[in-house]
Amino acid sequence: MASASLQEAVSVLKSTNVRMTPQRHAILEFLHSSMSHPTADDIYKSLEERFPNMSVATVYNNLRVFKDAGIVKELTYGDSSSRFDCVTSDHYHVICNDCGKIVDFHYPGLDEVETLAEHVTGFDIEDHRMEIYGTCPECTKMSKQ
Amino acid sequence: MASASLQEAVSVLKSTNVRMTPQRHAILEFLHSSMSHPTADDIYKSLEERFPNMSVATVYNNLRVFKDAGIVKELTYGDSSSRFDCVTSDHYHVICNDCGKIVDFHYPGLDEVETLAEHVTGFDIEDHRMEIYGTCPECTKMSKQ
DNA sequence: TCTTTATTTGTAATTCTTATAATCTATTCT
DNA sequence: AGAATAGATTATAAGAATTACAAATAAAGA
Ligand SMILES: [Mn+2]
Ligand SMILES: [Mn+2]
Ligand SMILES: [Zn+2]
Ligand SMILES: [Zn+2]
């Protein structure tokens, strides 16, 4: 459940000297309740009713704190703003070219790719990233109408 | 050779109604002579002696023209500025976490990943991107000293 | 050469993100 | 509990990358 891993995230933070504030907890909560890999601005907007005075800097600050603590991953896609994922176990993402939707995709790691890259380039390979792009079922349905 | 594909690129542009200007040719030339996947600013700086009055907007404008014509690919890595690749045939990139160097890496397409993603998510998959990260031989040598 | 229209240039605007300093508050110490 | 400490929040300015815009320029064809 999301609430279980939220509790885990809170205790990870408490184990370092990170204080628990209402804003911080709300950001964590939103991340764990959302499956949509939100942007900093998504988070900011979703909390502006509960925290009318919250600064967008607070969102960014906390996302960095979470990243440093290893409880959140940042997904960077270049052209637009970063997205944040509270699922830190290894997985890939399938992204819709039309609406931008991001869906988790589990696949065994591409070890042989890393091994070959190491042999061919002489690099000491540490990891890789992969995203798969296409059109989601909803957008396909739309375009057929 | 680079000059052969440069000629190709020029004729692709001429086949649409894209005019050949000195600035445009110089940007193309630099892209084809460089193996380093330069940023817009790299290109701009490399040409400021030959074209002291060139605007950085011209570099961006032309990179977009090249992209639209299919003779240049944009590589987006999120945190920093885009890089541009005049090798448009399919290949992957190995990137050094220390110095940022980008090296081409040829590998057969990951068709089975795309197929599985299609089955699992219901997306109509079009393509994917992958980058492999590690430490380049030079940086490894440095750190051992 | 003349005309048309794409292109360049200089600058302002935009977007995303970070830096800064003052204020506030969670936690600790007495 | 009350005060001290140090971390957190806020508001705002600054930064970097990129794009928009309009005026000036120049490529290509007639
Ligand atoms: Mn995910
Ligand atoms: Mn390349
Ligand atoms: Zn979609
Ligand atoms: Zn390196």
Side-chain angles (χ1 to χ4, degrees), chain B residues 36-52:
Chain B
S36 63
H37 305 82
T39 64
D41 201 57
D42 291 336
I43 299 170
Y44 177 64
K45 286 202 167 63
S46 78
L47 298 181
E48 66 183 357
E49 293 155 39
R50 275 175 69 193
F51 299 91

Side-chain angles (χ1 to χ4, degrees), chain A residues 19-22 40 57 60 64 74 80-82:
Chain A
R19 296 177 181 170
M20 198 46 53
T21 66
Y60 279 103
R64 181 164 24 172
E74 182 175 4
S80 57
S81 42
S82 287

Side-chain angles (χ1 to χ4, degrees), chain A residues 95-128:
Chain A
I95 303 173
C96 179
N97 284 324
D98 282 24
C99 68
K101 190 191 304 167
I102 300 177
V103 174
D104 287 348
F105 171 60
H106 293 271
Y107 190 81
L110 298 164
D111 292 338
E112 73 285 336
V113 175
E114 292 199 0
T115 307
L116 183 63
E118 205 149 49
H119 288 163
V120 170
T121 64
F123 274 55
D124 189 11
I125 301 298
E126 287 156 27
D127 57 353
H128 66 268

